[in-house]
Amino acid sequence: MSHRPRILGQLLQEAGAVSAGVLEQALEAQNQTGLRIGETLVRMGATDEEAVSRALALQLGLAFLEAPLQPRPEAIELVRGDLARARHVVPLRVTGRTLVLAMADPLDLGAVDDLQFQTGRRVDAVVATPTAVAEALDVAYGGTLERLVASLPEELRTQVAVADELERATRSAPVVRLVDRILSEAVERRASDIHIEETGSDVRVRYRVDGVLRRALDLPAASRRAVLSRVKVMAGMDISVRRRAQDGRMALRHAEHALTLRVSTLPVNEGEKAVVRILDPEAAPRDLGGLGFSADDLARIRGLLAAQEGVLLAAGPTGSGKSTTLFAALSEVDRETQNVVTLEDPVEYRLDGANQIQVDRRAGLGFADALRAVLRQDPDVVMVGEIRDRETAEIAMAAAVTGHLVLSTIHTTDAPGAVTRLLNMGVPPFLVAGGLAGVIAQRLVRRLCPECRGHGCDSCGEGYRGRTGVFQVLTVTDALRDEITSGVKTSRLRSLAREAGMASLADDARRTVAEGLTTPHEITRVLHADRGVTLPCRVCGHAVPVGATACPSCGTHRKRVCACGSTLERGWRFCPWCVRPVAA
């Protein structure tokens, strides 16, 4: 049996499906994963399922059937659904004392024996692709994750596998199919993350779709270690390490898309939790126009990009779409005549014409070190994944002052807060004033489904499909630069920015409702996130924007105001703008 993988590989090579070099790489990878050579080649993206299945049929002298498989009712009635799923076979037809069986793995003699014993008929096997078999099983017996859970072996549903059984369990067909189905269903539902986590006696799987976590299914507690270990094996992680956080990644091919899955595990009470981030490197936004900016904000941002110098920051919490905004901006930069370099952790999108660098702090290549090296490479435009510390911020600002366009992200609640954050990091005010060109603060809100307009349908489920952005754009003007240099207060900065045309996140959220993009209910979280730039009125309790002179609800004054409209601070005897004397 040991020569079979090489024979199958040679058949694929002779058919022109793989090259000799790729086959050698797959054989080396097979020694580490324990998977068969055909599955290894498919997971590497070196060939497809059909080529492997055809070669396997040729090797064994069996017929190959193309999708879709068409099982007959009498054959389906003859075989129990749980047995067909557990063995990953499809009964096609019954002829006398014979059962014709479509198998993705015709070498599974145990499956043949089980089916012959259960049906009392001799099995004639034909070969089909794993996808064709899975699709036919869904049609014949109903395709839900719950059914796959029910098809797990009894020992994985009633007891926890011991250490010497765990690795074998991760390679068992039921566990492999269950994990593959969890991943593929998450992609089909447009999920950005998969959470596999313990909840008491069970393990729940949740998908984050359009920013909201939704429960997908519950797993028996006994199957948790096998499922988590399967994910860890696929991501190149150590399954024996359970009390330490790990990170890994894997490739997943789905419907002609080559996806990257970033896996993170963390020890929790009596077990582990895994989170899988789903990234599509080919889904880079084409331009800024499709992100949901207002016409005025879009014009401001494109004006900053056209200047080709200064630091442009995208601000917001994790998951607010900051990286997507930066890549949309880079998509509008001329990458043919300019040297565009990105520093990322990890590389999320592929951008033609850009030099993309994976930052690796464990290897000594952090953002600051990588940025220094890039600036010696004659760049025109540099994208830094995130400004996390003073060193990176200072290098970015210095690069902008010397004529480079630098794009990056920062974690702040609103646009003016990004300036305060840089100053609090310890970046000199003159450097922030000279280098910073603008800040885009943003959130993501769910977009109304275009088919049902919020009523709920088969396409969306709850009335929403996809997300759009809510933005606040701050352009650093000369007046703002002067204030930043002198150590401006955040309230004064917000006031000057509003005078320069900056709206609040709440204002832009209301615009999206007025344009029919989302609902008032959906923007409440954005308004809540924007609450940090308001204070309650001492009389009526209504939210008053920071820097405002009076409550917009009851008109109660919060500050002294000159006749010219300027805010007067305590102790001033004259208004510094109109030189009027201040009344006592």
Side-chain angles (χ1 to χ4, degrees):
M1 297 290 289
S2 61
H3 66 285
R4 275 182 173 157
R6 188 168 294 278
I7 291 175
L8 180 63
Q10 289 173 349
L11 288 172
L12 288 167
Q13 185 179 346
E14 291 170 2
V18 297
S19 65
V22 169
L23 180 58
E24 194 63 34
Q25 293 175 13
L27 289 170
E28 293 178 3
Q30 182 193 20
N31 293 330
Q32 299 178 351
T33 63
L35 300 175
R36 290 182 173 171
I37 189 65
E39 185 177 355
T40 301
L41 287 165
V42 171
R43 290 186 177 278
M44 289 173 56
T47 187
D48 56 33
E49 288 183 339
E50 183 172 338
V52 171
S53 296
R54 286 184 181 277
L56 184 60
L58 180 62
Q59 176 189 0
L60 301 176
L62 299 175
F64 171 78
L65 288 185
E66 295 182 352
L69 304 179
Q70 298 179 338
R72 294 182 179 175
E74 61 270 19
I76 295 172
E77 293 175 2
L78 188 64
V79 179
R80 298 195 319 269
D82 59 343
L83 178 60
R85 289 187 179 282
R87 289 303 191 177
H88 203 52
V89 298
V90 177
L92 295 178
R93 57 184 180 276
V94 181
T95 57
R97 300 294 299 169
T98 301
L99 171 65
V100 180
L101 201 65
M103 305 180 68
D105 182 10
L107 296 174
D108 187 356
L109 301 182
V112 174
D113 290 341
D114 281 356
L115 268 295
Q116 289 184 154
F117 179 79
Q118 194 248 316
T119 63
R121 285 175 166 78
R122 179 173 61 86
V123 167
D124 282 349
V126 297
V127 182
T129 66
T131 299
V133 171
E135 290 174 350
L137 283 170
D138 288 348
V139 172
Y141 299 104
T144 64
L145 284 170
E146 286 77 7
R147 291 183 182 274
L148 286 175
V149 172
S151 71
L152 288 171
E154 188 68 19
E155 60 270 20
L156 287 181
R157 288 187 281 124
T158 57
Q159 65 182 25
V160 179
V162 295
D164 59 350
E165 297 175 349
L166 184 58
E167 186 173 354
R168 185 165 62 253
T170 65
R171 300 179 184 178
S172 66
V175 173
V176 170
R177 286 197 297 273
L178 175 60
V179 173
D180 286 349
R181 184 58 189 164
I182 289 172
L183 298 178
S184 62
E185 183 170 288
V187 175
E188 290 166 4
R189 291 192 188 183
R190 302 175 293 104
S192 61
D193 300 88
I194 306 169
H195 290 239
I196 305 173
E197 52 201 351
E198 268 194 321
T199 56
S201 60
D202 292 325
V203 178
R204 66 179 177 183
V205 178
R206 295 190 293 171
Y207 300 148
R208 186 179 294 279
V209 181
D210 293 336
V212 179
L213 275 173
R214 300 294 185 194
R215 200 166 190 144
L217 80 159
D218 292 330
L219 299 174
S223 69
R224 167 181 52 83
R225 284 184 58 190
V227 170
L228 279 173
S229 295
R230 176 63 187 168
V231 172
K232 291 164 73 173
V233 166
M234 295 172 68
M237 300 157 72
D238 189 345
I239 64 172
S240 66
V241 176
R242 297 190 299 275
R243 303 309 303 165
R244 189 177 72 240
Q246 293 191 73
D247 293 300
R249 59 175 51 233
M250 69 177 97
L252 177 69
R253 193 160 194 87
H254 182 84
E256 305 302 323
H257 288 280
L259 306 176
T260 299
L261 274 57
R262 192 175 68 195
V263 183
S264 171
T265 63
L266 189 69
V268 296
N269 185 33
E270 298 182 359
E272 282 183 289
K273 173 179 178 177
V275 176
V276 182
R277 169 63 58 88
I278 302 172
L279 303 172
D280 186 353
E282 304 297 336
R286 297 181 180 180
D287 54 43
L288 290 163
L291 301 186
F293 286 102
S294 68
D296 290 343
D297 285 346
L298 187 59
R300 289 191 185 95
I301 297 169
R302 284 175 169 162
L304 295 174
L305 294 175
Q308 298 186 6
E309 63 180 4
V311 174
L312 178 60
L313 296 177
T318 301
S320 58
K322 300 185 297 295
S323 296
T324 300
T325 298
L326 294 189
F327 271 94
L330 287 177
S331 297
E332 298 196 2
V333 170
D334 184 1
R335 301 186 299 278
E336 289 293 327
T337 61
Q338 292 183 311
N339 180 18
V340 179
V341 184
T342 72
L343 306 176
E344 305 172 65
D345 182 23
V347 175
E348 293 191 23
Y349 299 115
R350 293 194 186 97
L351 193 64
D352 293 338
N355 301 288
Q356 296 180 264
I357 300 169
Q358 169 74 53
V359 172
D360 188 349
R361 290 185 299 277
R362 288 176 294 184
L365 189 67
F367 280 116
D369 295 327
L371 184 53
R372 282 196 194 91
V374 165
L375 292 176
R376 294 193 289 269
Q377 294 278 313
D378 185 32
D380 296 295
V381 182
V382 181
M383 193 275 274
V384 183
E386 182 181 350
I387 290 182
R388 300 175 178 173
D389 51 51
R390 171 182 176 177
E391 188 178 14
T392 305
E394 286 187 349
I395 298 171
M397 294 297 163
V401 170
T402 55
H404 299 86
L405 175 61
V406 181
L407 310 180
S408 190
T409 68
I410 194 168
H411 288 280
T412 59
T413 57
D414 66 347
V419 178
T420 306
R421 176 83 176 110
L422 291 170
L423 295 174
N424 290 340
M425 282 182 182
V427 182
F430 75 89
L431 203 53
V432 176
L436 188 62
V439 183
I440 306 167
Q442 61 185 84
R443 302 290 189 276
L444 292 176
V445 295
R446 289 182 294 174
R447 182 189 289 266
L448 280 171
C449 173
E451 296 183 19
C452 68
R453 302 301 298 170
H455 297 291
C457 63
D458 293 338
S459 176
C460 66
E462 295 185 352
Y464 299 97
R465 184 175 178 84
R467 290 189 286 178
T468 188
V470 172
F471 302 95
Q472 179 186 46
V473 178
L474 166 64
T475 302
V476 181
T477 61
D478 289 340
L480 283 172
R481 295 187 197 282
D482 293 340
E483 293 288 345
I484 293 171
T485 303
S486 61
V488 64
K489 293 181 179 179
T490 306
S491 58
R492 176 62 178 165
L493 185 64
R494 287 195 178 101
S495 177
L496 290 173
R498 282 196 298 271
E499 291 175 7
M502 182 193 75
S504 68
L505 285 167
D507 292 334
D508 201 53
R510 296 185 188 99
R511 173 189 62 84
T512 62
V513 174
E515 292 178 358
L517 299 176
T518 188
T519 63
H521 175 75
E522 178 62 14
I523 69 167
T524 53
R525 66 185 179 93
V526 177
L527 295 176
H528 174 74
D530 203 32
R531 195 178 296 168
V533 297
T534 65
L535 292 171
C537 174
R538 59 185 172 84
V539 175
C540 70
H542 191 276
V544 181
V546 171
T549 58
C551 173
S553 177
C554 67
T556 301
H557 280 273
R558 293 190 63 251
K559 294 183 178 181
R560 291 191 303 165
V561 182
C562 178
C564 71
S566 301
T567 300
L568 302 175
E569 295 187 9
R570 188 180 301 274
W572 285 0
R573 297 177 58 191
F574 291 88
C575 174
W577 286 276
C578 69
V579 202
R580 285 187 176 93
V582 176

